[in-house]
Structures are given as C-alpha cells and as structure tokens.
Amino acid sequence: MRVTVFGTGYVGLVTGTCLAEVGHQVICVDIDQAKVEGLNRGVIPIYEPGLEDMVLANHGAGRIAFSTDAASAIAHGEIIFIAVGTPPDEDGSADLQYVLNVARTIGQNLGRRAVIVNKSTVPVGTADKVRATIAAELAKRDAEHAFEVVSNPEFLKEGDAVKDCMRPDRIVIGTSNAQALEAMKRLYAPFNRNHERIVAMDVRSAELTKYAANAMLATKISFMNEMANIAERVGADIEMVRHGIGSDPRIGYSFIYPGAGYGGSCFPKDVQALERTARQHGYHAQILEAVESVNDRQKFKLSELIERHFTGEIRGRTFAIWGLAFKPNTDDMREASSRTLLAQLWAAGANVRVYDPEAMDEARRVFGERADLVYCDSPASALTGADALVVVTEWKTFWNADFDKLKAALKHPVVFDGRNIYDPVEVEAAGLAYYGIGRGRTIAAKS
C-alpha cells in the first residue's frame, strides 16, 4: 500500500520504517529540511536499537523516502498518518497546533479518497477537530473528496520500539467506517498473521485508550515509589516487597520498579493531559493528580539522600553521575530524573562528572558547556576526582560494577543507587555506604 507519514520524530520514523519493512511504499514528510536531508544521507536523528539498520536497508531498497514536499506526499498516500508532536500547552493540556497544521495541509492538497490516521497521542475529540479542519480546507477549494479520520494510537516503548512495532501485542483502530477499517486491516495484515491483534472500536474510545494505558503504567510506578518511601521509614526493603506483590498475577512484575521517578516524552505529558481533559469536562481526576504529584516529588529523592549523607555540606563537592537518559536504550532526556538531580546539585554549589552510553550529545545540547559540568567518555573516567557515585539510569553496563575499584576511586566511599540495581549487602561488604530507593533495611541498621 502507498503510505504517507507526517513527522519524522520518534513515532513517525519508527512507524514509517516498520511499514516499509513489510513491503509498503512509504514517504515520511517533515518541515525540518536539515533532518530530511540527513535521513536521506543515512543520518538517524534518534537512538533506538535496530532502527538505523532498518532505515538504511529500506531506504536503499526504495521502500521509504524522506521529503519536505507535502503536496506530493499527500498525492502518494492512500493512507496518511499524522505522527507529529503534541507537547504540553501552558495549562498542561495537549497542544494540537501541529496536528491541526497537518490537517490543514492535507485539506489543501487532498486530491482523492484517503484514510487519515491520527497516530499522535491526542485528547478525546481530536479526530473530530481533524475531520472538521480538513473539510473546511476542502470547502475553500470547492473540492469533494471522500476521507475518513481514524484513531490508531501507538504503544511503543522507547528502547523496544522496533520490536513493539514489528510484533505488536495489540493494534487499536478507532473508526465507525467499514471501508476505513478494512483499509487499516490490509495495512496491518503482515503484523497480524500469528493471531488476531486488531482491537476495533469507536474513535473516541481509541483516543482514550492510549491515555488510559499510559496513565495506568505511570500509576504503577508512582504507587511503588510511594511504597518505597513508606518502606524506608518503617525499615522494610522495597525490593523484597516488590517480589512479594509481583508474584501475584493480578499485579505482575511490570512497571513496579521503584526509582527516581519516571520521565520521557509520554508519561509526564499524557498523565497531565488526561487530568486536564477530565477537568475540562467537569471531573476531578484525583488519582491522576496524585500520580503526577508523587512523581514530581520522587525526582528530588536522590538529592535528598545526598543531602542526608553529607549533612547538607554539598558545596564544592564533585559527583559522578552514571546515566542521563530517562531510561536505558534511548538518548531521550525529556523530563529525565537526571535533569532534576543536576539542577539540585548545581543549586547547592556542587560539580558533576557525567557519563551515559548514548545521551552525551543530547546532554551537550541541553546543558551546553559550563564550569561545573564535565562530560566523560566512560564510567571509570566519571569517577576521577569524585566524592561519590550516583546511578540515575539502569544501563546494563552499570550493573556489574567493581565495588573495590569504586571504593578506591571515590573520595568518599558512597553509592547512591537511584534504580536499586545493586545488592546493598554486596556494596557495603566492599566498604561503601549504600543508599537506594526504599531500602529501609540498611537505613534501619544504621539508625
């Protein structure tokens, strides 16, 4: 099938590439000329395991192309995806200006029947706005071309997006039009051979499904962080608790890892946007407010532990920071816990030496050059001259640390483990002080 994808960001690029991988003819459109030129030269703007090789292979085979020419791309596509950003507006609601700009462009250039697919994460009712925007532009041209607007939310995990796209656990399609549903089924047929993955529903239910899924996952994380803070105070070990409740199949082990707060491009803005949507419809979404509040507070947890250990004497100290991305297997630092931690350390007069396997270029873009920040090329070099180590992102390369070498390298033998990847007993046996999230066993033993 002939597919057009508006947007070469995370969702647009992964979606377009995976559709090309199964044989569709894809054009990805973006207004960023430099990004498009880079993609056509094989420069991938994001880090995602497996994506670069797939883009290069499909571009070389002629199944995917990148362009700034919206008119020709619209003429190409029998299915046209809108996969542009929906950043938070000033009041926390989703900003739809980019989605509606694409809708206007489609209406200005549509020349035949097409299925328009909302892939962006958008509030309930956005499909109606997209439909009205396209219809208004067609009316200005006195043009009559049939089109349907479908909601097809993405469920891609950064770090696993290619796998999620190629082997989806569900494909949600929101439409009340039989022809549009059949077209989407044909599009996704290569992903749907093993068993039925398509979940068809009305448009508004599909739009809410995306927000509900992310809000549920964010709720699990904030709940566990709440439990971790209780565990710390009562002398329990949250990791033991996690195993105890995760073994219940009604709860499961996914997304119940305590830590320094969630970040990224989805959970923070989607929880906030859903809460604002509820408010706009006269409903007070107390759980969503609490999820957001707990997460905001949790991002200060590492700085609180550091203040506790050093009894507030932070000025002039140097901290080695392992991990900057909001999660492993991505270079995304949007809403990352590391950003909150660094801001707190700098405000207290500390210096930092940072390392991340993939996010160093992004860190330079975000922070620039400053006297209290040193970019390092390895975990070991980040330790040079450091008073303490702070682990913020649970990259696999950090899991098997040599604690004897850590003790020898650090001025003060202390590790702050923001993701609970280390065994406190093993760390302390090597002569290092250990601070984790909700590891009340060690805190109780020292009190």
Side-chain angles (χ1 to χ4, degrees), residues 178-437:
Q179 287 181 297
L181 179 59
E182 185 57 35
M184 295 300 290
K185 285 183 174 180
R186 285 193 290 117
L187 179 76
Y188 283 122
F191 305 95
N192 201 40
R193 293 177 65 114
N194 181 263
H195 62 272
E196 182 60 59
R197 292 179 169 90
I198 289 176
V199 183
M201 58 184 71
D202 64 274
V203 172
R204 289 189 168 227
S205 295
E207 290 173 330
L208 183 55
T209 294
K210 169 61 176 179
Y211 278 108
N214 278 356
M216 173 60 80
L217 297 176
T219 299
K220 293 182 74 174
I221 295 170
S222 279
F223 175 82
M224 283 306 290
N225 284 332
E226 195 90 285
M227 292 302 103
N229 292 329
I230 294 173
E232 176 183 308
R233 285 158 175 78
V234 302
D237 187 336
I238 194 61
E239 289 301 308
M240 302 292 184
V241 176
R242 179 175 65 82
H243 284 286
I245 68 173
S247 57
D248 185 332
R250 296 169 301 174
I251 298 173
Y253 288 103
S254 297
F255 287 85
I256 62 168
Y257 291 86
Y262 61 75
S265 64
C266 295
F267 287 4
K269 76 177 181 64
D270 290 354
V271 170
Q272 192 176 67
L274 183 55
E275 189 276 325
R276 301 307 186 271
T277 295
R279 186 185 303 176
Q280 290 163 9
H281 288 78
Y283 182 74
H284 182 198
Q286 293 172 279
I287 290 178
L288 298 181
E289 281 188 347
V291 168
E292 187 178 0
S293 176
V294 168
N295 190 60
D296 289 343
R297 184 179 64 203
Q298 196 69 14
K299 289 184 178 181
F300 290 89
K301 186 63 184 178
L302 282 171
S303 58
E304 290 173 5
L305 293 174
I306 292 168
E307 288 274 349
R308 179 193 304 174
H309 179 81
F310 288 105
T311 60
E313 298 178 4
I314 305 299
R315 183 168 299 279
R317 296 193 187 278
T318 298
F319 293 89
I321 309 296
W322 281 2
L324 297 169
F326 86 93
K327 63 179 288 189
N329 295 324
T330 182
D331 59 355
D332 194 344
M333 289 181 58
R334 286 173 289 184
E335 302 288 339
S337 301
S338 63
R339 298 177 70 156
T340 303
L341 173 63
L342 266 57
Q344 290 297 302
L345 291 175
W346 286 329
N351 303 299
V352 296
R353 297 176 61 84
V354 302
Y355 172 75
D356 187 283
E358 294 295 339
M360 298 304 286
D361 288 343
E362 179 65 7
R364 288 186 172 89
R365 187 192 68 80
V366 172
F367 301 123
E369 299 295 332
R370 46 187 298 165
D372 49 11
L373 168 62
V374 177
Y375 299 103
C376 301
D377 59 6
S378 70
S381 64
L383 300 172
T384 303
D387 287 272
L389 168 64
V390 189
V391 180
V392 186
T393 312
E394 63 274 32
W395 285 94
K396 291 298 184 185
T397 190
F398 302 149
W399 280 65
N400 294 308
D402 186 323
F403 299 122
D404 291 329
K405 289 183 178 178
L406 278 181
K407 183 182 179 184
L410 297 171
K411 294 179 182 178
H412 294 263
V414 56
V415 174
F416 300 93
D417 182 0
R419 301 297 172 184
N420 288 357
I421 64 175
Y422 300 132
D423 180 348
V425 174
E426 185 179 357
V427 176
E428 291 174 345
L432 292 140
Y434 176 86
Y435 292 84
I437 306 298

Side-chain angles (χ1 to χ4, degrees), residues 96 99 118 120-131 149-153 155 172-175 201-213 270 274:
L96 296 178
V99 170
N118 260 344
S120 302
T121 300
V122 293
V124 176
T126 301
D128 295 336
K129 294 179 180 180
V130 169
R131 185 179 297 108
V149 178
V150 171
S151 175
N152 176 219
F155 299 97
V172 173
I173 299 173
T175 182
M201 58 184 71
D202 64 274
V203 172
R204 289 189 168 227
S205 295
E207 290 173 330
L208 183 55
T209 294
K210 169 61 176 179
Y211 278 108
D270 290 354
L274 183 55

